[in-house]
Amino acid sequence: MGESNYKKGKSFEELVCEVLTNNFNTELSDRFASIKIGTNEKKEHVFDFASSDKSIVVECKAYTWTEGDNTPSGKISTFNEAVYFLSFLPKDTIKILCIKKAYNSKKGKTLAEYYVNQYGHILGDVIIFEISDEEGGRIENAWFDQDRVKNRDKLNLFFDTNSKKSDLSLFTVGEK
């Protein structure tokens, strides 16, 4: 019997936390991830992890295409839900949705690419990172709307550092 979906998801979260902690040079942990969100009556929502000052908040999704290489529409709904919850955070928060790299040869794209192509218009100031779990984990691609993403000092530092070290592809939503 293979690894449970819970364990796969937890392993992916741990990998992403390590990759982003190293790349942002900031401790990220699930200890900081319970954050009040909402408009009037604020309610606690537990994100996957965050920085201690909550300037970076992250949700992770380790989904793949269906067995027949079809779009996992139910799982796409959870991407939308994650974007929705992230949207309630303060404007200067770096809001990141990390999606595990899952390539579909039939469609000629990854699940993250598909998601951004279909739903990029709802991202607002949420950044999508596509994370490969190969070679100890790495950020393969990032998509964001540069006109809407705030707190750019940390983000620019991250992108400047990583674009020199790797072949990280960065796209403004609507490109490609």
Side-chain angles (χ1 to χ4, degrees):
M1 186 171 189
E3 189 178 29
S4 73
N5 286 338
Y6 173 80
K7 285 185 180 178
K8 287 178 189 174
K10 201 67 178 156
S11 294
F12 182 65
E13 284 175 24
E14 290 167 3
L15 173 73
V16 169
C17 188
E18 183 180 323
V19 167
L20 295 185
T21 293
N22 293 336
N23 282 296
F24 278 107
N25 199 25
T26 300
E27 181 191 5
L28 298 169
S29 172
D30 58 0
R31 294 191 315 270
F32 314 127
S34 184
I35 302 171
K36 289 185 179 190
I37 63 169
T39 49
N40 296 332
E41 293 182 40
K42 298 209 178 242
K43 186 173 183 175
E44 292 278 318
H45 180 79
V46 180
F47 293 93
D48 289 326
F49 48 90
S51 59
S52 60
D53 64 359
K54 297 181 179 26
S55 66
I56 302 170
V57 178
V58 181
E59 275 291 297
C60 301
K61 301 296 177 196
Y63 298 147
T64 59
W65 298 91
T66 67
E67 240 177 80
D69 283 338
N70 295 313
T71 306
S73 52
K75 294 173 180 176
I76 295 292
S77 295
T78 64
F79 291 166
N80 290 339
E81 180 183 58
V83 168
Y84 177 72
F85 285 127
L86 287 164
S87 75
F88 283 100
L89 296 170
K91 294 291 178 207
D92 60 345
T93 304
I94 296 175
K95 307 162 191 172
I96 302 171
L97 172 58
C98 291
I99 300 174
K100 182 176 180 177
K101 183 177 182 180
Y103 186 74
N104 181 321
S105 56
K106 186 171 137 184
K107 295 194 185 304
K109 60 180 71 174
T110 64
L111 191 55
E113 287 175 297
Y114 172 83
Y115 180 71
V116 171
N117 288 338
Q118 296 298 310
Y119 298 94
H121 62 284
I122 69 166
L123 293 179
D125 59 352
V126 175
I127 302 160
I128 303 291
F129 280 163
E130 179 175 62
I131 308 285
S132 170
D133 59 355
E134 296 173 9
E135 301 172 20
R138 61 181 253 119
I139 300 167
E140 296 271 332
N141 290 297
W143 293 269
F144 64 99
D145 184 334
Q146 63 187 15
D147 296 328
R148 298 184 83 174
V149 172
K150 306 295 181 217
N151 202 357
R152 296 294 297 272
D153 354 343
K154 273 190 181 179
L155 198 56
N156 286 336
L157 174 65
F158 170 79
F159 286 133
D160 290 345
T161 303
N162 285 290
S163 58
K164 290 174 188 160
K165 280 194 213 171
S166 68
D167 57 352
L168 174 68
S169 300
L170 305 173
F171 304 101
T172 300
V173 171
E175 281 185 22
K176 250 189 155 186

